[in-house]
Amino acid sequence: MGSDNEVNDVQTNSRRRFLGKSAVLGLAGAGVLAGCKENGAGAPGSASASAAAAAGKSHGASKAHVEPGQLDDYYLFSSGGHSGEARIIGIPSGRTLRRIPVFNMDPMVGWGITNESKAILGTKPDGSLKYTTGDTHHVHGSYKDGTYDGRYLWVNDKINSRLARIRMDTMECDKITELPNVMGFHGTFPDKCDPVDKAINHTTRVFCGAEFAIPFPNDGRDLDDPSKWGSLFTCVDAETMAVRWQVRVDGNMDLVATSYDGRFACSNQYNTENAADQAGMMAAERDACVFFDVARIEAAIKAGKFTTIGSSKVPVVDGRKAANADPKTSVTCYVPVGKNPHGVNASPDGKYMVCSGKLSPTATVIEVALVAKWFDGELKTERDAVVAEPEIGLGPLHTAFDGKGNAFTTLFLDSQIVKWNVAAAIAQFKGDKSVKVVLDRVDVHYQPGHGYASMGETKEADGKYFNSGNKFSKDRFLPVGPLHSETEQLIDITGDKMTIVSDHTAYPEPHDAIIMRRDIVKTRQIYNLDDFPNKVTADNAGIERKGNKVHVRLMSQAPAFSMPVIKVKKGDEVTITLTNHDKVEDLTHGCAIPTFNINFIVNPQETKSVTFKADHAGAFWMYCTHFCHALHLEMRSRFLVEA
């Protein structure tokens, strides 16, 4: 009888074999995986795959261990998926450091409860939140001189087509913009320098790709004729968060990337067929990566060559192929790539964009300089900008880079990460049959979606870690019911061979993330009292009544609120403004009132407010929810509502 480890290995490989075969058979039946080999090198269940990772066992766990009292080397900033939040994780430890509410409600910090957060989220005329759901997918940071500058993060909401900005000094959302005439806003990416003024070498614009086609305007017209529907690519001002312009395109956009010289934004596209059903979306043998010449778009708008849609005042430029036949005046370039691609990523040297095939076992390498030549009328066809298309495995999705010329792509169907060399792929494309393109494979558990490397989307890609965001965990962790956690696997990519360092759990369903060096992030430890015009001090603290509107101005300093008793009348509209007067790092206070849906925190020197109706009478203990002092339990006031 074999050992427990042998039994576990057999079970694991059997599951991997089942996952791989069932996925391949399903797609093969749809006619989208012609030419793929089930039992090629590294295929699920093959001997080479088992040997490569020994069923996913870690061979470098010590590299992920961070001693008590020591700090991680990197921040990982991740989306939270349909939780609507963003998350901060330490790397290499995998410790969750913070969950940032963005499009969701969070009673711990009071997001969606305080007046300040409601103003950012947006409300209906009755004061309730316009939306209470969100679906975050992609987090990206602001740039200066081709690398992160630690100022902002941006994250999208796919459900309600919103873009949010997070201040990195406080790790809190400070602005949210809803995009007009857009549905299914999926990919987003900031520019790395200004596309018009070359003296500005930091982020000025954020680009947003719409995935779903809709009628223009979406007010009930053309509901039965999807051939008239379309998708818009949107540019948002990085500072004001106002929508600058939009471009109408053919097809559906997925993810977004930007060139290092500022000239181009691009988005991989599926459904270039402009179909309204799944079969139609998979008819073409190739789809596209569409490039946008930002300066030309803005010149066209300045010249008045735009329209608007419905009540929106945002200028819309026509970027469809039919309206852009001449490359020298075109605002878009549609480069043919593999079938139904998923993901586009810029190499750290700024030379290439890599699109993964998803339904093709290939990655397509596009040379940015050749795209520029096409726009200048010096390239015969858009396809001539493709310089490599290596076959790397089944279900390629997202690609990251190590800054040494190597690319790392997630293979969803193979449940692997594949390491391949870009220069070798280009040489192979030119006819060199002796070159070795694929350098290594490692099994992950199971079926990875997004993958990203440390500093991998900057010119400072350091080639230390790759994180594989796996969509299924199955047997990796203790079972907790039908909903499993997901698996984040950290991989050491410093050597010739990739080594799995550790497994981290992730509450479903995170998507993309970035890994940023810790020295870039400069957070503040306490707020500045004077940053809040409504701050409460000894000079204005107290209760002010104007008719049935009552304003309670309150201070907190451990372990007490400034007013032991607060008395109002039933039916009053009550506003409580609370300022935390403590100046000690990490000394946060909470404020909760039972039965009134009031719960929020104030950090040191911060001010927040809530407004609610005192619609029922009685005595209620307003208390501190955030541990702050040895007398924390005694920190409370009586909130009295007279009948």
Side-chain angles (χ1 to χ4, degrees):
M1 185 173 180
S3 68
D4 289 342
N5 286 339
E6 288 172 343
V7 172
N8 288 337
D9 286 352
V10 170
Q11 290 174 341
T12 300
N13 284 321
S14 296
R15 183 176 289 103
R16 292 179 57 78
R17 191 176 297 113
F18 171 76
L19 284 168
K21 285 186 176 179
S22 62
V24 170
L25 289 172
L27 289 174
V32 297
L33 284 176
C36 297
K37 298 178 181 178
E38 178 188 340
N39 290 317
S46 68
S48 60
S50 299
K57 293 177 184 176
S58 170
H59 299 291
S62 62
K63 295 180 180 179
H65 181 66
V66 177
E67 294 287 345
Q70 299 302 307
L71 301 179
D72 281 288
D73 296 325
Y74 298 89
Y75 289 86
L76 187 156
F77 298 103
S78 173
S79 70
H82 37 274
S83 70
E85 65 187 19
R87 299 169 186 168
I88 307 176
I89 296 168
I91 295 296
S93 73
R95 298 178 294 205
T96 298
L97 305 176
R98 184 163 179 180
R99 296 169 63 177
I100 306 173
V102 182
F103 303 111
N104 56 317
M105 292 185 67
D106 185 347
M108 195 285 284
V109 300
W111 191 254
I113 298 171
T114 64
N115 294 328
E116 292 78 11
S117 62
K118 284 184 174 181
I120 295 170
L121 282 162
T123 57
K124 299 176 183 177
D126 65 359
S128 63
L129 292 177
K130 184 176 182 181
Y131 304 111
T132 57
T133 59
D135 184 18
T136 59
H137 278 242
H138 301 101
V139 176
H140 293 290
S142 54
Y143 286 81
K144 183 176 182 180
D145 193 25
T147 193
Y148 299 128
D149 63 9
R151 294 184 67 215
Y152 297 124
L153 300 168
W154 285 274
V155 63
N156 71 308
D157 170 22
K158 182 173 179 177
I159 294 178
N160 299 308
S161 300
R162 293 178 291 177
L163 179 70
R165 188 177 71 186
I166 296 169
R167 284 180 48 169
M168 291 184 67
D169 61 341
T170 61
M171 298 301 176
E172 294 173 328
C173 176
D174 75 334
K175 286 184 181 294
I176 293 176
T177 296
E178 185 172 350
L179 310 184
N181 297 301
V182 165
M183 186 174 292
F185 159 34
H186 190 193
T188 188
F189 212 98
D191 65 8
K192 300 179 180 76
C193 61
D194 194 282
V196 178
D197 187 346
K198 299 304 179 183
I200 301 174
N201 69 340
H202 60 80
T203 294
T204 58
R205 297 159 176 81
V206 183
F207 301 105
C208 312
E211 187 174 356
F212 304 147
I214 57 174
F216 295 140
N218 193 15
D219 59 2
R221 67 187 70 186
D222 298 324
L223 297 183
D224 298 319
D225 189 1
S227 66
K228 295 182 179 179
W229 300 7
S231 298
L232 300 177
F233 187 78
T234 304
C235 175
V236 176
D237 189 281
E239 290 298 330
T240 66
M241 290 289 286
V243 178
R244 285 191 174 204
W245 47 259
Q246 295 180 307
V247 176
R248 185 171 181 178
V249 300
D250 295 308
N252 296 14
M253 289 168 286
D254 185 28
L255 303 194
V256 176
T258 58
S259 62
Y260 278 79
D261 64 0
R263 180 174 180 181
F264 299 123
C266 64
S267 177
N268 65 293
Q269 291 184 296
Y270 67 95
N271 192 27
T272 52
E273 304 90 337
N274 292 306
D277 60 348
Q278 187 182 81
M281 293 178 186
M282 294 163 56
E285 284 303 313
R286 292 192 182 277
D287 280 288
C289 181
V290 57
F291 284 78
F292 300 86
D293 190 314
V294 179
R296 284 191 187 179
I297 293 167
E298 296 187 357
I301 293 169
K302 190 174 182 180
K305 298 176 181 179
F306 67 87
T307 59
T308 58
I309 297 173
S311 61
S312 171
K313 303 300 182 184
V314 174
V316 178
V317 175
D318 194 341
R320 290 173 291 180
K321 291 182 183 179
N324 292 270
D326 183 357
K328 292 183 179 180
T329 58
S330 179
V331 297
T332 53
C333 172
Y334 293 81
V335 178
V337 301
K339 192 179 184 71
N340 288 67
H342 189 66
V344 57
N345 301 90
S347 61
D349 58 11
K351 293 181 179 180
Y352 308 106
M353 295 289 178
V354 176
C355 290
S356 295
K358 191 174 75 171
L359 299 187
S360 166
T362 59
T364 303
V365 182
I366 302 168
E367 186 170 337
V368 176
L370 292 178
V371 174
K373 280 192 173 184
W374 183 88
F375 275 107
D376 294 339
E378 300 173 8
L379 203 66
K380 187 175 181 181
T381 70
E382 299 94 328
R383 178 68 183 174
D384 291 333
V386 173
V387 294
E389 204 160 52
E391 184 171 320
I392 57 176
L394 299 181
L397 296 184
H398 300 278
T399 299
F401 305 91
D402 63 2
K404 304 171 187 176
N406 300 314
F408 301 77
T409 301
T410 57
L411 302 178
F412 182 80
L413 298 182
D414 276 343
S415 288
Q416 291 181 334
I417 308 304
V418 57
K419 175 182 179 181
W420 55 282
N421 185 266
V422 177
I426 294 172
Q428 182 190 65
F429 195 72
K430 291 179 178 178
D432 187 346
K433 297 181 180 179
S434 65
V435 71
K436 184 178 181 181
V437 176
V438 174
L439 305 179
D440 192 26
R441 299 178 186 272
V442 65
D443 291 341
V444 292
H445 296 75
Y446 302 93
Q447 297 189 301
H450 284 279
Y452 32 89
S454 49
M455 299 295 291
E457 298 205 84
T458 75
K459 69 176 186 180
E460 296 183 322
D462 59 25
K464 292 186 178 180
Y465 293 110
F466 178 93
N467 190 89
S468 175
N470 307 326
K471 294 303 182 184
F472 300 95
S473 63
K474 301 190 186 296
D475 57 357
R476 303 305 290 174
F477 309 111
L478 285 173
V480 288
L483 178 64
H484 291 246
S485 65
E486 293 186 6
T487 315
E488 304 282 340
Q489 288 188 297
L490 190 66
I491 301 172
D492 182 341
I493 60 172
T494 56
D496 292 336
K497 294 291 184 181
M498 295 178 283
T499 303
I500 293 180
V501 172
S502 61
D503 288 1
H504 308 144
T505 60
Y507 185 74
E509 180 192 40
H511 290 267
D512 205 3
I514 59 174
I515 301 176
M516 187 181 298
R517 285 197 325 268
R518 74 184 190 192
D519 63 281
I520 296 173
V521 181
K522 308 293 184 184
T523 61
R524 62 197 310 180
Q525 301 308 310
I526 65 173
Y527 284 87
N528 181 350
L529 196 70
D530 293 330
D531 286 344
F532 303 93
N534 62 336
K535 65 181 181 294
V536 181
T537 65
D539 294 333
N540 65 352
I543 299 178
E544 178 185 19
R545 174 179 288 277
K546 292 182 179 179
N548 68 339
K549 294 186 177 182
V550 178
H551 195 157
V552 180
R553 294 184 175 88
L554 191 65
M555 298 180 290
S556 64
Q557 191 162 18
F561 294 111
S562 60
M563 298 175 63
V565 178
I566 300 168
K567 186 178 288 187
V568 300
K569 296 177 181 179
K570 181 180 176 181
D572 283 346
E573 180 185 281
V574 180
T575 297
I576 296 177
T577 301
L578 175 62
T579 298
N580 180 351
H581 278 261
D582 281 304
K583 297 181 180 179
V584 179
E585 177 182 342
D586 200 27
L587 210 167
T588 296
H589 295 150
C591 179
I593 305 177
T595 75
F596 286 99
N597 278 325
I598 300 300
N599 190 19
F600 64 99
I601 61 169
V602 280
N603 292 297
Q605 300 287 287
E606 184 181 28
T607 298
K608 287 181 181 176
S609 65
V610 292
T611 299
F612 61 100
K613 190 171 184 179
D615 56 5
H616 51 284
F620 308 92
W621 285 104
M622 184 179 75
Y623 66 98
C624 178
T625 53
H626 211 89
F627 192 90
C628 60
H629 192 274
L631 294 177
H632 164 70
L633 292 180
E634 288 77 16
M635 185 173 173
R636 62 179 92 163
S637 297
R638 284 168 285 164
F639 182 73
L640 307 178
V641 181
E642 297 178 329

